[in-house]
Amino acid sequence: MTCGRQNQRRAGLALAAAALLLAGCGQSADTKGADGAKGGAAGAASASPSAGAGAGASASVKASVAPLGPGEVRVGGEVAKPYSVTLADLRKLPQASVEVKFTSAKGEQRHTYQGVLLHDVLKTAEPRFDAAKKNGQLRGFVSATGGGDYRAVFAWAEIDPGFAKSQVLLAVSEDGVAFDDAAGPRLVVPQDTKGGRYVSELNQLWVGVVDPVVDGAK
């Protein structure tokens, strides 16, 4: 009888020890889960500054493109040396003069313009045409943007004196009257019979090549 009670007591002690062991394991698992949650939160927290830094870098890139000043023209695109130019800058460069006649919404127009050759302004930016291709510059074009997001396009051959006789100008004056500095230059296209490409309040000249568009369409 005594032996049986001792066995029951030993069994009870074993069950109690097992219960305590299981309880300890459960507490350890809970603690680990909390640490894991904290670790996850810490990971998220550490990722958050990184994401913020990425957003900041993106904002920095956008901010690096400075806004244009009044009358300023940005020259860019497929060029090695993008830059900006103002009317004051243009007046310091060699000038050309052209007499033009064209029609507009106001009827026939006759004017004398003075300014700088568009080709000279773009040449300063060093357009990147493919020298490995025959007459690679003939694949080029120029987009001219003016006030109110008005835009016109030219083939490079139209402005290159090596291919055309035309004198497309960034005009600084009309009939002897200087343009206002805040308005910027006006694009003058003597060979055109209509004034659609006489872009006023010019603010951007963008050089491109047709290859990516044409080859991508194949």
Side-chain angles (χ1 to χ4, degrees):
M1 189 69 172
T2 302
C3 183
R5 287 179 180 176
Q6 289 179 345
N7 289 337
Q8 287 179 356
R9 186 178 180 184
R10 289 173 183 170
L13 290 173
L15 288 173
L20 288 172
L21 180 61
L22 289 173
C25 291
Q27 184 177 3
S28 175
D30 291 342
T31 304
K32 183 177 180 180
D35 290 342
K38 290 179 181 177
S46 64
S48 179
S50 176
S58 176
S60 177
V61 170
K62 292 180 181 178
S64 67
V65 181
L68 289 170
E72 190 174 11
V73 181
R74 179 174 290 138
V75 184
E78 291 296 323
V79 298
K81 297 180 179 179
Y83 73 106
S84 295
V85 64
T86 65
L87 267 177
D89 297 327
L90 292 172
R91 292 191 184 103
K92 298 174 185 177
L93 300 176
Q95 303 287 299
S97 181
V98 295
E99 294 182 1
V100 300
K101 179 177 73 172
F102 59 92
T103 58
S104 70
K106 298 179 180 179
E108 185 176 276
Q109 304 286 317
R110 290 177 181 267
H111 298 287
T112 299
Y113 289 100
Q114 184 172 331
V116 181
L117 291 175
L118 173 60
H119 181 260
D120 289 347
V121 172
L122 296 176
K123 187 171 61 175
T124 299
E126 298 183 9
R128 294 183 296 201
F129 299 130
D130 191 347
K133 292 183 170 64
K134 183 178 180 179
N135 289 329
Q137 66 269 46
L138 297 184
R139 300 165 182 255
F141 65 88
V142 180
S143 170
T145 304
D149 198 34
Y150 189 87
R151 186 168 289 160
V153 176
F154 297 79
W156 184 264
E158 292 183 87
I159 66 170
D160 190 331
F163 294 93
K165 295 180 180 180
S166 62
Q167 289 188 308
V168 181
L169 295 183
L170 265 67
V172 300
S173 68
E174 178 185 78
D175 300 327
V177 179
F179 290 131
D180 184 69
D181 284 353
R186 184 181 190 186
L187 207 59
V188 173
V189 194
Q191 70 266 34
D192 284 7
T193 57
K194 289 189 176 182
R197 295 199 295 180
Y198 280 60
V199 181
S200 299
E201 298 178 9
L202 186 70
N203 56 62
Q204 183 188 59
L205 293 167
W206 194 91
V207 180
V209 291
V210 300
D211 297 57
V213 177
V214 176
D215 295 342
K218 290 181 181 179

